Amino acid sequence: MPGARPPVHNGAMESSAGNGGAGRAPRRFDVCNGDADGLCAVVQWRLADPAPATLVTGLKRDIALLARVPAQAGDEVLVCDLSMDRNRDALVRLLDRGVRVRYFDHHAPGRIPEHPALEAHIEPASAVCTSVLVDRYLQGRFRAWAVVGAFGDNLPELAGRLAATIGLPEDATRRLRVLGEAINYNAYGADESDVHIAPARLFERLARFADPIRFLERDPIGDEIAALRRADLERAAREGACSEGDGWAVHRLPDAPWSRRVLGSFANALALAQPGRAHAVARPAADGSREVSVRAPLRSPGGAHEFARRFGGAGRARAAGIEGLPAARFDEFVRAFAAMRWAEATTAGDRHAAGATRSGAQRASSRAAR
């Protein structure tokens, strides 16, 4: 694996507490969502900077991960593909303890803390993902892994363009698409007993390879997950929509290990197959509530996170999720989903994303000037 460190960014973090205190060597922590975008972002980073680091990750539903990081003054934390809005309090505590944090993400961040030890690369546009943000920072050094992450995040057009820039043949691109979708699928479940392999263990196997094609040639786990995903998608497709209208459809799956695994993948597949429609896929949780994956129409890819927030959920412009939706509110959810005006939400979301991106760039420039 390449051993050079990542290029210096003009908004590089400033140390706020020296070198770890009491002569202790600084520790590194990598914190990410356990889906394809999060894992592939950190894989790229550690290929470029193969320093020892403690990985903190989990399933797709595990978002508030920064609270699990025991970093202290002088330590360094890399965060990839986690909502800053959901992790802000823990982030501020880390910064106040003298921890340096580099944050890559594409979810709506809310208020970004002003702190010299925070380097934030936030771009909540609908057609970008965290793996691509890291790829930009690393100047395309491990772009094939960014292709995998983008395919996993249901951005096939973006992934195809990235693949073309590095001359990937059509068959190789297809294989990376299957891999990205499989890694993403593997992040869904009520707990790790639902998935084929825990995301942390999967990361260890992915990170051994600078080239994801070589990974597929040497490790059977990618093909195993892909086969399980195909079988679960076939079962989900047999369920049909429980409610639908012009421009939208809601699917309801039974509660079972296969439905807990396939929830997000099925929503993505529906979005790709019917890009003019909004899609929601719901299943009952063990406590009687509903878990829902929401996808905006790919032809108007915005507003999913704003819609989900109305029911206690979160996400990004084109895809969001809701946990703990009371069963008594499900009919209300369906009515609101049917009435949602996605094109208007997309326009407003694009304006918000542009503002957030400009704000982050201005902060980086300000840190560099100090």
Side-chain angles (χ1 to χ4, degrees), residues 176-260:
L176 295 192
R177 178 172 187 160
V178 172
L179 176 60
E181 292 171 344
I183 296 171
N184 209 62
Y185 156 86
N186 186 71
Y188 283 83
D191 54 51
E192 290 187 351
S193 67
D194 282 336
V195 300
H196 189 62
I197 182 172
R201 289 176 51 215
L202 179 58
F203 172 84
E204 294 174 357
R205 295 167 74 157
L206 299 174
R208 297 171 188 164
F209 297 89
D211 181 357
I213 293 293
R214 183 63 60 89
F215 164 77
L216 287 169
E217 293 170 347
R218 298 290 184 87
D219 193 320
I221 193 71
D223 290 337
E224 292 171 9
I225 300 171
L228 187 61
R229 175 180 178 272
R230 285 193 296 271
D232 285 349
L233 280 172
E234 289 174 2
R235 297 184 72 169
R238 291 196 290 268
E239 295 294 323
C242 67
S243 187
E244 61 186 319
D246 291 338
W248 63 277
V250 176
H251 293 250
R252 186 162 48 195
L253 303 180
D255 184 31
W258 69 266
S259 68
R260 296 192 288 269

Side-chain angles (χ1 to χ4, degrees), residues 299-321:
R299 290 178 185 160
S300 303
H305 58 311
E306 297 293 347
F307 178 82
R309 282 178 183 171
R310 292 159 57 182
F311 296 90
R316 52 193 176 87
R318 64 172 59 202

